[in-house]
Amino acid sequence: MPSTVMNELTPSQAAQSIEGVEGFERLLKEQTSQLKDLVDQGDLSSALSLISEINQTRDKTLYVEVGRLTRSLYESIRDFQIDCGDAQSREALSKIDDASDRLAFVVDMTNSAANKTLDLVEETMPYASHMKDEADQLKQEWQKLRRKEMSPSEFRDLTGRMDTFLTQLGNDSDKVYKNLSSILLAQDFQDLTGQVINRVTNLVKDVEENLVNLVRMAGKVDQITGTVHDLESIETNMDGEGPQMKREEREDVVNGQDDVDDLLSSLGF
Amino acid sequence: MEVDLNKDMKILVVDDFSTMRRIIKNLLRDLGFTNTDEADDGNTALPMLKTGKYDFLVTDWNMPGMTGIDLLKTVRADDDLKSLPVLMVTAEAKRDQIVAAAQAGVNGYVVKPFTAAVLKEKIEKIFERIDA
């Protein structure tokens, strides 16, 4: 699989890259002292050819680095697109050939599971409230009977109502139980979305590793060419960021509703 | 202290995820509020707020189109809407963001994931303060 090849290739590439630049530095040091000697001796023609030699080595190293950089970039991009799953799961997810499609699939599945669950909950809640209402009323009647405060005709009403309630209770309990089972089954998305997310996570890890190597190599190129980047400071913005991970490790993030309340009350809320 | 809330008040729930809107609507219904409408972002919410005579706005922060914080700022800058109570229910948990929401004039801030009890408490607190 290309991703495995890439993983084996990259560290050695990086090592070569570092060696290339270190080699150049070593050569530069050696040749500088040689150059000084030649100039001191007055051998200007040898000195000039030595300077051109140094330039050539520098250019060669530069080309090699730029070449590596380009290849690594290309492979990072390619690796991000390729399917890194095994043949069997590729088959199962054959319609999904890139990470964003996969994540869209996760959004769809979780969305449909959430809606299904909400539908069933909304359908079930009235059964529960109806059972409670009816039971509350029957309880009052029942207590009236126990206090022997009930007339024969009221008693006939109560027995009829009790019959209806017990039948209704049996039917409604069946429906509640059935809906609860369906809610249970609606959670099966977790298994599938979990697999997809794990695979995308691996993909992102691979890409990140490659990008780190890429940055390292780009740093070497900058070193050889003497390029200094003018990096703009990143502005803090007020765009939404979504849920925060590892809240307890971060100072700038609240750790739950209590923190929010504390912060707001410190602001006079 | 139990607050006597107007159960007929008209509430607009703004969130880009329909499931979250449903969850909030269900929780509001459990609290006795049945007069609720939905919008999926600030751009959809704003015209509804302008014409719909809403008593309370519950909004998410992070939404495509117009975000909740921009909706809040727009509401506070509008003469007809500026006194509308706004509760933010959001996953945004950075201190800077909460401070920014407070400065923009939010009435309450609930971080997701939240419970029915927290939602109830915040709504009661908002109206307790307004009635006081």
Side-chain angles (χ1 to χ4, degrees), chain A residues 114-115 118-119 122 125 238-244 247 251-254 256-257 259-261 263-264 269, chain B residues 19 22-23 26 29-30 61-62 91-98 100 102 106-107 109-112 118 122:
Chain A
N115 274 312
L118 286 166
D119 285 344
E122 283 175 4
M125 278 174 158
M238 277 295 145
D239 285 347
E241 293 189 13
Q244 298 289 347
R247 292 179 180 208
E251 282 284 311
D252 60 337
V253 166
V254 294
Q257 188 64 40
D259 274 6
V260 176
D261 296 348
L263 180 59
L264 287 176
F269 261 71
Chain B
T19 44
R22 284 183 75 177
I23 290 169
N26 269 295
R29 199 196 50 220
D30 282 351
W61 180 309
N62 197 3
E92 302 303 327
K94 280 174 77 177
R95 291 178 185 278
D96 290 350
Q97 291 176 310
I98 298 162
V106 83
N107 299 79
Y109 199 103
V110 172
V111 280
K112 293 178 192 168
V118 166
K122 298 306 161 203

Side-chain angles (χ1 to χ4, degrees), chain A:
Chain A
M1 295 303 292
S3 63
T4 358
V5 172
M6 185 62 198
N7 284 343
E8 284 167 8
L9 233 168
T10 316
S12 69
Q13 266 185 330
Q16 276 173 27
S17 163
I18 289 159
E19 203 179 286
V21 176
E22 278 173 354
F24 175 66
E25 280 172 4
R26 211 165 39 237
L27 194 83
L28 190 64
K29 249 180 232 165
E30 278 169 21
Q31 290 183 327
T32 312
S33 62
Q34 231 179 327
L35 185 67
K36 192 174 171 288
D37 289 347
L38 286 171
V39 173
D40 285 349
Q41 285 159 21
D43 190 352
L44 289 182
S45 109
S46 298
L48 284 173
S49 72
L50 193 59
I51 290 174
S52 114
E53 207 180 297
I54 293 172
N55 265 332
Q56 274 173 17
T57 318
R58 171 183 172 276
D59 289 350
K60 210 173 124 200
T61 319
L62 185 62
Y63 293 143
V64 171
E65 289 308 314
V66 170
R68 281 206 188 101
L69 202 57
T70 315
R71 195 164 68 228
S72 181
L73 180 62
Y74 168 74
E75 279 169 1
S76 295
I77 292 166
R78 195 195 57 194
D79 274 13
F80 198 69
Q81 287 171 338
I82 56 145
D83 192 326
C84 63
D86 55 65
Q88 202 189 344
S89 44
R90 242 201 329 274
E91 177 93 43
L93 300 166
S94 59
K95 283 181 188 158
I96 305 160
D97 55 5
D98 71 55
S100 54
D101 274 0
R102 286 165 190 237
L103 292 177
F105 169 78
V106 170
V107 172
D108 285 349
M109 286 208 80
T110 48
N111 179 55
S112 107
N115 274 312
K116 206 166 164 188
T117 306
L118 286 166
D119 285 344
L120 289 161
V121 168
E122 283 175 4
E123 191 189 310
T124 311
M125 278 174 158
Y127 289 121
S129 8
H130 183 255
M131 279 182 217
K132 187 189 151 38
D133 289 349
E134 198 60 18
D136 281 350
Q137 283 182 23
L138 282 171
K139 198 177 167 192
Q140 282 174 20
E141 300 284 309
W142 187 248
Q143 274 161 358
K144 208 170 165 188
L145 175 72
R146 289 183 60 148
R147 288 196 303 267
K148 298 186 167 59
E149 290 167 2
M150 198 168 260
S151 69
S153 78
E154 278 177 331
F155 180 72
R156 265 196 305 280
D157 282 353
L158 178 61
T159 50
R161 211 166 150 189
M162 191 65 103
D163 272 344
T164 320
F165 177 65
L166 290 175
T167 313
Q168 189 75 43
L169 190 61
N171 292 340
D172 288 358
S173 307
D174 277 349
K175 278 175 194 150
V176 170
Y177 191 89
K178 220 181 94 222
N179 286 354
L180 287 175
S181 299
S182 303
I183 289 172
L184 188 87
L185 284 175
Q187 312 311 310
D188 65 350
F189 72 91
Q190 177 61 33
D191 170 42
L192 298 171
T193 55
Q195 287 184 43
V196 172
I197 290 175
N198 281 341
R199 210 163 294 145
V200 174
T201 307
N202 286 334
L203 207 62
V204 171
K205 265 190 203 146
D206 275 358
V207 173
E208 188 188 20
E209 219 168 275
N210 290 339
L211 287 178
V212 166
N213 284 321
L214 203 62
V215 168
R216 209 185 291 155
M217 282 186 217
K220 291 294 166 193
V221 170
D222 287 347
Q223 205 179 322
I224 300 166
T225 56
T227 312
V228 179
H229 294 282
D230 185 18
L231 293 176
E232 284 175 31
S233 61
I234 301 158
E235 283 178 39
T236 47
N237 63 44
M238 277 295 145
D239 285 347
E241 293 189 13
Q244 298 289 347
M245 309 295 143
K246 296 185 178 168
R247 292 179 180 208
E248 55 286 343
E249 290 172 20
R250 288 185 54 174
E251 282 284 311
D252 60 337
V253 166
V254 294
N255 196 6
Q257 188 64 40
D258 288 346
D259 274 6
V260 176
D261 296 348
D262 289 349
L263 180 59
L264 287 176
S265 64
S266 78
L267 295 168
F269 261 71

